[in-house]
Amino acid sequence: MNGFAQVSEMTHTIGRYSLRAVGALLVLIVAWKMAGLARQAVKNGLDRAQADPTLTRFGGNVAYWLIIGVAMLAALGTIGIETTNVATVLGGASVAIGLAFKDSLGNFAAGILLMLFRPFRAGDTITVAGVTGRVYDIELFVTRLDTFDNRRLMLPNGAVFRANIENATHHPARRIDLTIYVGPTADLDQVRRLLLEAAKTQDCRGYPAQEVVLNAVGAKVEWLVHVWCATDDYMTVRERVLTEIKLRLDRAEIPML
Amino acid sequence: MRIAIAGGSGMIGTALAQALTARGDEVLLLTRRPPRTPSEVRWDPIKGTLDLAKLNGLDAVFHVAGAPIADRPWTRSRRKILVESRVDTAKALVQSLAKVDRPPKVFLGAGHLGRFGSRGEDLIDDESPPGTGFLAELAVAWEDALLGAQTLGSRTAVLRMGIVLAATGGAFPLIVKPFRVGIGGWLGDGRQFIPWMTIRDTVGAFLHLLDRPDCHGAYNASVPEPVRNKEWSRAFGRALHRPVLAHAPKWALRGALGELADDFFLASMRVVPRRLLESGYRFTDVEPEAAVEWLVKELDGS
């Protein structure tokens, strides 16, 4: 009799709580769907406003996590855990939590700063903290890079923000610097003419003109060749100019050292 | 030579008429208003009514007509005006000329470099493929209409214009104003290459195409050394002895001007006038600062 009452009481309680759990789960599922929709909406909106792709992804993610966060609180409330208490506890523990999350929050703040000051954008090729890659996106806590051999690198935003950042694709055009060594007996005027000829195969109209500079003499003679090109064409133009130099020096029978 | 100019009261037309008259050519102006002098001929560009007798046996016809492109945002009605005033008038003029016994020996028209669209760092040659967007499509249609004059048996050439700088109108007096009071600046990030040319080079290039019997087809008309918007703005500042600090952000231009901002003011066109140079034309103004100094002198002198 007593046992029956206990079991009945238990099933009742379980029933009550499982109902609540189902409710909480429903809240979470709905919120998850909504958050996905909201992320897409924010992204579309920013896309239409032709905002930067970095900002587009970031804005979308912020909307996503905000909704998920609110839903979490709501779900806790549905189960019967007083969210005001959670907030109070969180408030009381904020110092401890703050300390625990110090690095993460630092990364978060750095992420915001990277958004605001934009030393680089998604798609830029940067060298930062000893690694080089193309920026995939800037997340809440990490900046994601893809290396040229397609490895994904995750850099904490704090580290990125503190480090020296080299942005190779900031300017639409950049200079190719080539160093060429020839023997001391090679005729200076001839070499200069050949190098300039090779450099002029690149059309520099609208950019600074091609330069050929005698940089050092001695056991070998060092020449610098400067050619400007569109940043995107850096590798192709560099290779082409090098080929032209090699061909011309070979034809004139001037060996390179 | 007897030469007719459609759009003879416009900025380019006026300068062209002056230069031709100065060297002893006889100039007829095709105008929409009732003729006031014997050198004016009534022309309704849409209906195509023309005093055909006066157009018989001309040495050359110029088509330099059209509503200004960058004057105001491209609303639907504005687009219609742009298409009508350029494509339709060009077609109408060619059709009228097809009716005369002896069509002109030479037909020259003003096209637009906007046909290439915004191309970033790519060098734009005379033979580069056309771009997309309203301005590109307009410019292509209108250039094709002008080149339609080839069917008349006339030697036909089109000069593709960028920004033509003149003291008498167009963009220059408007650009100079903010620079004078020290609030001039570049547009967007200022990295876009802008094709430009002074009015005396525009007239010079037209006369060059007129006088060279081997010149036909389309020619890019922009200075030999392309320049970025920021550099160009700084040249204005130096020529006027004013600092250049401000700039108009992209979003503001887009908000105020819509597609006109992206297709025109923010478009990057690294144009090279290869065919014009190869045909032997030598530019008077190649460097922005000197060009602006000359134009400011003209503006203040007149």
Side-chain angles (χ1 to χ4, degrees), chain B residues 89-105:
Chain B
T89 62
K91 278 184 188 156
L93 183 60
V94 172
Q95 276 164 12
S96 306
L97 290 172
K99 289 181 198 145
V100 301
D101 294 336
R102 286 180 298 140
K105 295 194 187 90

PDB file of all heavy atoms in Angstrom, chain B residues 89-105:
ATOM      1  N   THR B  89      19.461  58.467 -80.517  1.00  0.00           N
ATOM      2  CA  THR B  89      19.870  59.562 -81.399  1.00  0.00           C
ATOM      3  C   THR B  89      20.944  59.102 -82.370  1.00  0.00           C
ATOM      4  O   THR B  89      20.967  59.517 -83.524  1.00  0.00           O
ATOM      5  CB  THR B  89      20.409  60.767 -80.609  1.00  0.00           C
ATOM      6  OG1 THR B  89      21.572  60.364 -79.895  1.00  0.00           O
ATOM      7  CG2 THR B  89      19.390  61.324 -79.646  1.00  0.00           C
ATOM      8  N   ALA B  90      21.837  58.223 -81.888  1.00  0.00           N
ATOM      9  CA  ALA B  90      22.888  57.726 -82.785  1.00  0.00           C
ATOM     10  C   ALA B  90      22.274  56.932 -83.923  1.00  0.00           C
ATOM     11  O   ALA B  90      22.606  57.129 -85.099  1.00  0.00           O
ATOM     12  CB  ALA B  90      23.891  56.870 -82.006  1.00  0.00           C
ATOM     13  N   LYS B  91      21.320  56.047 -83.553  1.00  0.00           N
ATOM     14  CA  LYS B  91      20.655  55.256 -84.597  1.00  0.00           C
ATOM     15  C   LYS B  91      19.915  56.158 -85.577  1.00  0.00           C
ATOM     16  O   LYS B  91      20.000  55.979 -86.791  1.00  0.00           O
ATOM     17  CB  LYS B  91      19.645  54.300 -83.944  1.00  0.00           C
ATOM     18  CG  LYS B  91      20.281  53.032 -83.415  1.00  0.00           C
ATOM     19  CD  LYS B  91      19.199  52.095 -82.887  1.00  0.00           C
ATOM     20  CE  LYS B  91      19.825  50.904 -82.181  1.00  0.00           C
ATOM     21  NZ  LYS B  91      18.907  50.299 -81.210  1.00  0.00           N
ATOM     22  N   ALA B  92      19.178  57.155 -85.005  1.00  0.00           N
ATOM     23  CA  ALA B  92      18.384  58.057 -85.852  1.00  0.00           C
ATOM     24  C   ALA B  92      19.281  58.826 -86.814  1.00  0.00           C
ATOM     25  O   ALA B  92      18.962  58.991 -87.997  1.00  0.00           O
ATOM     26  CB  ALA B  92      17.586  59.020 -84.975  1.00  0.00           C
ATOM     27  N   LEU B  93      20.422  59.279 -86.307  1.00  0.00           N
ATOM     28  CA  LEU B  93      21.325  60.062 -87.153  1.00  0.00           C
ATOM     29  C   LEU B  93      21.855  59.203 -88.305  1.00  0.00           C
ATOM     30  O   LEU B  93      21.884  59.635 -89.462  1.00  0.00           O
ATOM     31  CB  LEU B  93      22.485  60.608 -86.315  1.00  0.00           C
ATOM     32  CG  LEU B  93      23.478  61.503 -87.042  1.00  0.00           C
ATOM     33  CD1 LEU B  93      22.783  62.729 -87.618  1.00  0.00           C
ATOM     34  CD2 LEU B  93      24.607  61.948 -86.114  1.00  0.00           C
ATOM     35  N   VAL B  94      22.244  57.959 -87.965  1.00  0.00           N
ATOM     36  CA  VAL B  94      22.765  57.070 -89.008  1.00  0.00           C
ATOM     37  C   VAL B  94      21.686  56.776 -90.044  1.00  0.00           C
ATOM     38  O   VAL B  94      21.941  56.807 -91.257  1.00  0.00           O
ATOM     39  CB  VAL B  94      23.301  55.753 -88.377  1.00  0.00           C
ATOM     40  CG1 VAL B  94      23.648  54.747 -89.474  1.00  0.00           C
ATOM     41  CG2 VAL B  94      24.529  56.042 -87.525  1.00  0.00           C
ATOM     42  N   GLN B  95      20.445  56.562 -89.555  1.00  0.00           N
ATOM     43  CA  GLN B  95      19.348  56.282 -90.491  1.00  0.00           C
ATOM     44  C   GLN B  95      19.087  57.467 -91.420  1.00  0.00           C
ATOM     45  O   GLN B  95      18.868  57.287 -92.617  1.00  0.00           O
ATOM     46  CB  GLN B  95      18.077  55.941 -89.718  1.00  0.00           C
ATOM     47  CG  GLN B  95      18.017  54.473 -89.316  1.00  0.00           C
ATOM     48  CD  GLN B  95      16.992  54.209 -88.234  1.00  0.00           C
ATOM     49  OE1 GLN B  95      16.158  55.081 -87.939  1.00  0.00           O
ATOM     50  NE2 GLN B  95      17.057  53.043 -87.631  1.00  0.00           N
ATOM     51  N   SER B  96      19.124  58.673 -90.858  1.00  0.00           N
ATOM     52  CA  SER B  96      18.907  59.861 -91.686  1.00  0.00           C
ATOM     53  C   SER B  96      20.004  59.987 -92.731  1.00  0.00           C
ATOM     54  O   SER B  96      19.737  60.317 -93.894  1.00  0.00           O
ATOM     55  CB  SER B  96      18.891  61.123 -90.829  1.00  0.00           C
ATOM     56  OG  SER B  96      17.953  60.998 -89.804  1.00  0.00           O
ATOM     57  N   LEU B  97      21.228  59.733 -92.302  1.00  0.00           N
ATOM     58  CA  LEU B  97      22.354  59.876 -93.234  1.00  0.00           C
ATOM     59  C   LEU B  97      22.296  58.825 -94.346  1.00  0.00           C
ATOM     60  O   LEU B  97      22.833  59.028 -95.436  1.00  0.00           O
ATOM     61  CB  LEU B  97      23.681  59.776 -92.485  1.00  0.00           C
ATOM     62  CG  LEU B  97      24.011  60.961 -91.578  1.00  0.00           C
ATOM     63  CD1 LEU B  97      25.234  60.673 -90.736  1.00  0.00           C
ATOM     64  CD2 LEU B  97      24.218  62.229 -92.396  1.00  0.00           C
ATOM     65  N   ALA B  98      21.619  57.706 -94.052  1.00  0.00           N
ATOM     66  CA  ALA B  98      21.505  56.653 -95.066  1.00  0.00           C
ATOM     67  C   ALA B  98      20.613  57.111 -96.217  1.00  0.00           C
ATOM     68  O   ALA B  98      20.647  56.542 -97.305  1.00  0.00           O
ATOM     69  CB  ALA B  98      20.958  55.381 -94.431  1.00  0.00           C
ATOM     70  N   LYS B  99      19.795  58.158 -95.959  1.00  0.00           N
ATOM     71  CA  LYS B  99      18.828  58.593 -96.981  1.00  0.00           C
ATOM     72  C   LYS B  99      19.434  59.594 -97.956  1.00  0.00           C
ATOM     73  O   LYS B  99      18.809  59.888 -98.980  1.00  0.00           O
ATOM     74  CB  LYS B  99      17.614  59.218 -96.292  1.00  0.00           C
ATOM     75  CG  LYS B  99      16.741  58.196 -95.571  1.00  0.00           C
ATOM     76  CD  LYS B  99      15.543  58.865 -94.932  1.00  0.00           C
ATOM     77  CE  LYS B  99      14.913  57.989 -93.872  1.00  0.00           C
ATOM     78  NZ  LYS B  99      14.390  58.790 -92.751  1.00  0.00           N
ATOM     79  N   VAL B 100      20.564  60.172 -97.635  1.00  0.00           N
ATOM     80  CA  VAL B 100      21.112  61.203 -98.535  1.00  0.00           C
ATOM     81  C   VAL B 100      21.895  60.526 -99.667  1.00  0.00           C
ATOM     82  O   VAL B 100      22.355  59.395 -99.525  1.00  0.00           O
ATOM     83  CB  VAL B 100      22.010  62.214 -97.796  1.00  0.00           C
ATOM     84  CG1 VAL B 100      21.234  62.899 -96.701  1.00  0.00           C
ATOM     85  CG2 VAL B 100      23.259  61.557 -97.261  1.00  0.00           C
ATOM     86  N   ASP B 101      22.028  61.248-100.772  1.00  0.00           N
ATOM     87  CA  ASP B 101      22.712  60.680-101.942  1.00  0.00           C
ATOM     88  C   ASP B 101      24.174  60.386-101.646  1.00  0.00           C
ATOM     89  O   ASP B 101      24.676  59.326-101.973  1.00  0.00           O
ATOM     90  CB  ASP B 101      22.637  61.664-103.118  1.00  0.00           C
ATOM     91  CG  ASP B 101      21.207  61.832-103.585  1.00  0.00           C
ATOM     92  OD1 ASP B 101      20.422  60.897-103.329  1.00  0.00           O
ATOM     93  OD2 ASP B 101      20.880  62.882-104.162  1.00  0.00           O
ATOM     94  N   ARG B 102      24.804  61.378-101.048  1.00  0.00           N
ATOM     95  CA  ARG B 102      26.225  61.181-100.753  1.00  0.00           C
ATOM     96  C   ARG B 102      26.436  61.272 -99.238  1.00  0.00           C
ATOM     97  O   ARG B 102      26.509  62.363 -98.678  1.00  0.00           O
ATOM     98  CB  ARG B 102      27.061  62.234-101.482  1.00  0.00           C
ATOM     99  CG  ARG B 102      27.163  61.967-103.001  1.00  0.00           C
ATOM    100  CD  ARG B 102      27.989  63.022-103.688  1.00  0.00           C
ATOM    101  NE  ARG B 102      27.389  64.360-103.546  1.00  0.00           N
ATOM    102  CZ  ARG B 102      28.102  65.467-103.316  1.00  0.00           C
ATOM    103  NH1 ARG B 102      29.416  65.404-103.198  1.00  0.00           N
ATOM    104  NH2 ARG B 102      27.494  66.627-103.203  1.00  0.00           N
ATOM    105  N   PRO B 103      26.517  60.122 -98.576  1.00  0.00           N
ATOM    106  CA  PRO B 103      26.744  60.117 -97.117  1.00  0.00           C
ATOM    107  C   PRO B 103      28.115  60.709 -96.795  1.00  0.00           C
ATOM    108  O   PRO B 103      28.976  60.804 -97.682  1.00  0.00           O
ATOM    109  CB  PRO B 103      26.692  58.632 -96.749  1.00  0.00           C
ATOM    110  CG  PRO B 103      26.226  57.910 -97.953  1.00  0.00           C
ATOM    111  CD  PRO B 103      26.481  58.773 -99.133  1.00  0.00           C
ATOM    112  N   PRO B 104      28.308  61.099 -95.539  1.00  0.00           N
ATOM    113  CA  PRO B 104      29.590  61.731 -95.172  1.00  0.00           C
ATOM    114  C   PRO B 104      30.774  60.789 -95.391  1.00  0.00           C
ATOM    115  O   PRO B 104      30.635  59.583 -95.295  1.00  0.00           O
ATOM    116  CB  PRO B 104      29.417  62.047 -93.691  1.00  0.00           C
ATOM    117  CG  PRO B 104      28.351  61.127 -93.227  1.00  0.00           C
ATOM    118  CD  PRO B 104      27.421  60.967 -94.387  1.00  0.00           C
ATOM    119  N   LYS B 105      31.917  61.390 -95.697  1.00  0.00           N
ATOM    120  CA  LYS B 105      33.122  60.567 -95.891  1.00  0.00           C
ATOM    121  C   LYS B 105      33.559  59.962 -94.564  1.00  0.00           C
ATOM    122  O   LYS B 105      34.033  58.833 -94.512  1.00  0.00           O
ATOM    123  CB  LYS B 105      34.265  61.430 -96.454  1.00  0.00           C
ATOM    124  CG  LYS B 105      33.996  61.968 -97.847  1.00  0.00           C
ATOM    125  CD  LYS B 105      35.282  62.507 -98.460  1.00  0.00           C
ATOM    126  CE  LYS B 105      35.013  63.203 -99.787  1.00  0.00           C
ATOM    127  NZ  LYS B 105      34.741  64.656 -99.580  1.00  0.00           N
TER     128      LYS B 105
END
